[in-house]
Amino acid sequence: MEELTIQVTENSELEAVLTQIVLSKEPVNINFEFQQLKFVVQSQLLNINPPKL
C-alpha cells in the first residue's frame, strides 16, 4: 500500500476531519471534490505517533 504524508495546519477543514477520524470508533467516509470529480474515501485510524496517553 502506498503511503502519503500530508502536513495539516491548525483550524483547517482537514484538522476537523482528522479530529472526527480520531474520535470515531467506526470508519469515517470523507467526501472530496476536485476539478468536478467527487471522491469518497473511507478512513480508519490505525496508529497515532506519538501515542496518546
Side-chain angles (χ1 to χ4, degrees), residues 36-48:
Q36 298 180 347
L37 296 173
K38 293 183 180 181
F39 301 85
V40 178
V41 177
Q42 189 174 76
S43 183
Q44 186 173 4
L45 181 65
L46 299 177
N47 188 16
I48 297 178

